Each structure stands twice: as structure tokens, then as C-alpha cells.
Amino acid sequence: MSKQEKNSFVDKRSSRRTFLKNSGLTVGGVVLGGALGSLLGNDPKTPAPVKQAHTPTANPNIALIFFTTEQYQLTQAASERIFPEDENGPGAKELNAAIYIDHQLASPWGLNVKDYRLGAFHTPEPTQGGQTKMLRKDLFPAGLLALNTYSVKQFEKKFTELEIAEQDAVLTDFSEGKTTVYKGVSSTEFFNLLRSLTMEGVYADPLYGGNKEMLGWKMRKYPGSRMTYLQEIQSENFVVLEPQGLNSHMGH
């Protein structure tokens, strides 16, 4: 390439760079491909817009962060027998108690971070809490596995496939400690954990994933979390209050 040709090539390249820079078609020194293509007469087809994933629920708390799908379904079935649907209202399954349990086990609470963990670990008295070395996040899945194993042994079906009376019989045996969940850990300890978490999931603030639409509170005519009852106390008539969650305080 002659000197004249070389200078001409450099001038053209410099001019094009200057034009792109002044036209706002570069980002951090990198030419935008689509813009460059249109400048060169090669206008690429506009890509189809990316479809957004369908949002299955308006509540973002309704999502699994600990359970597998099978564990979740098993927890739904077991918690429903502890707090079943009846003429008073929905049961634990509809109230999303299993979602609450999932979130609790995934939290620091599932790791027993605030518990004394140095032993000694004795067989507890009926009035005492659990004394096992197992963390809650390990005890609960082990209990679910034992629930299925025991169901197959007794009825040759998984727990979710059992009739209601059969599920109740299995849970009754678990509550009475008739089997173990892991290396000598009684099934009673798992059952007590399941029962406590189920009731919490039914009645806790919806912030934590359960108590769907505050239906658990509505069944109890519980007004929820309120900043004050001053006006209601001063009223001479009985005041019926619709429940409010913790999010109702955001405007205060």
C-alpha cells in the first residue's frame, strides 16, 4: 500500500469513528451492532420481543426456597390433616401453611442460630422441648422421608396417596413416637415441629407466606396488626374490624 493510499484509508476510518462518536452510536468505545449495520445499508431484522414469564400469583411470597416439589406436596397433605378444611373455613393447604414452613426452614431459624447447641442432649421430659442435635432444617426433611417410609410399610402407599383415615392413623403413630425419623430421634419430635409450624402458618402475618388473604384471622375474627384501637375503645357500639397485616403500617 502506497503512502497516499494508506493516508486515505486512515482518514476514512477516522472520519467514520468521528461520525459514530458524535452520533451517540458507541457505548464505552464499542460500536452498537444494529446501528452500524443500518449505517452500512445492512438493516438487520428487528428481533422478536422476549416473552416475559407468566406470573402465577400476585403474591411474590408464594414461592419455594427450601422444599423440593415432592416435599412441598407431602407437607401440604400432612399439615392439612392437622388443620383440615371444615365448615368454619379453609384448611392449612389453602392457607399456604406449607409455604410458611418452607420459608422458616430456609431462614436462620431453620439453622437454630439462636438456640443453645452445646449439649448435653438428654431425652426430654413431656414438659420440655426437643433435645436433639439435629437442626430443624435437617429434622423436617428427615421426618417427611420417615412419613413416607412408614406409610408404605403400613399401607403400601405413599402418604399423599393414603385415604384421610389412613393419613390420620400414620400421624397419630408419629405423635405417639411409634417410630424414629433418624438415628434414634423420635417421630414425636418431628410431629411436634410439624404441628407447631402448621399452626403458625395458619395464623402468622401473611408477610411470612402463610395465612393467605388473612383468612386464618378472619375465621377467628381477629383484627390483625393495628397501631391503635383508640377510636374503637371510645365507641359505645361494638365495632367489627377487618384484619390488617403488617404492611398496613407503611403509611404511618
Side-chain angles (χ1 to χ4, degrees), residues 60-111:
N61 283 337
I62 311 303
L64 297 180
I65 53 179
F66 180 83
F67 287 141
T68 64
T69 301
E70 183 178 7
Q71 289 172 333
Y72 172 62
Q73 293 171 345
L74 183 51
T75 302
Q76 280 186 314
S79 62
E80 181 69 14
R81 297 314 310 143
I82 292 175
F83 193 93
E85 178 184 6
D86 60 16
E87 64 277 4
N88 296 311
K93 182 177 180 178
E94 183 177 344
L95 292 170
N96 288 334
I99 292 291
Y100 171 85
I101 296 172
D102 170 87
H103 291 190
Q104 291 301 302
L105 293 173
S107 74
W109 182 86
L111 293 167

Side-chain angles (χ1 to χ4, degrees), residues 132-151:
T132 177
K133 293 181 180 180
M134 292 187 73
L135 301 176
R136 297 184 186 101
K137 73 172 187 65
D138 297 323
L139 173 59
F140 204 92
L144 293 176
L145 180 60
L147 202 62
N148 258 343
T149 301
Y150 191 80
S151 299

Side-chain angles (χ1 to χ4, degrees), residues 32-72:
L32 298 182
L36 178 60
S38 62
L39 286 173
L40 298 178
N42 181 24
D43 190 9
K45 294 182 180 180
T46 303
V50 178
K51 293 184 178 180
Q52 298 296 325
H54 175 64
T55 303
T57 175
N59 186 350
N61 283 337
I62 311 303
L64 297 180
I65 53 179
F66 180 83
F67 287 141
T68 64
T69 301
E70 183 178 7
Q71 289 172 333
Y72 172 62

Side-chain angles (χ1 to χ4, degrees), residues 224-244:
S225 174
R226 291 175 177 266
M227 298 292 286
T228 177
Y229 294 91
L230 181 60
Q231 294 182 353
E232 290 78 14
I233 291 174
Q234 293 177 340
S235 175
E236 295 181 358
N237 301 317
F238 181 78
V239 179
V240 177
L241 298 174
E242 287 296 315
Q244 294 182 354

Side-chain angles (χ1 to χ4, degrees), residues 148-164:
N148 258 343
T149 301
Y150 191 80
S151 299
V152 171
K153 180 179 179 182
Q154 297 296 113
F155 299 103
E156 298 182 349
K157 291 180 291 185
K158 294 181 178 180
F159 185 85
T160 54
E161 299 169 348
L162 299 179
E163 301 293 333
I164 289 178

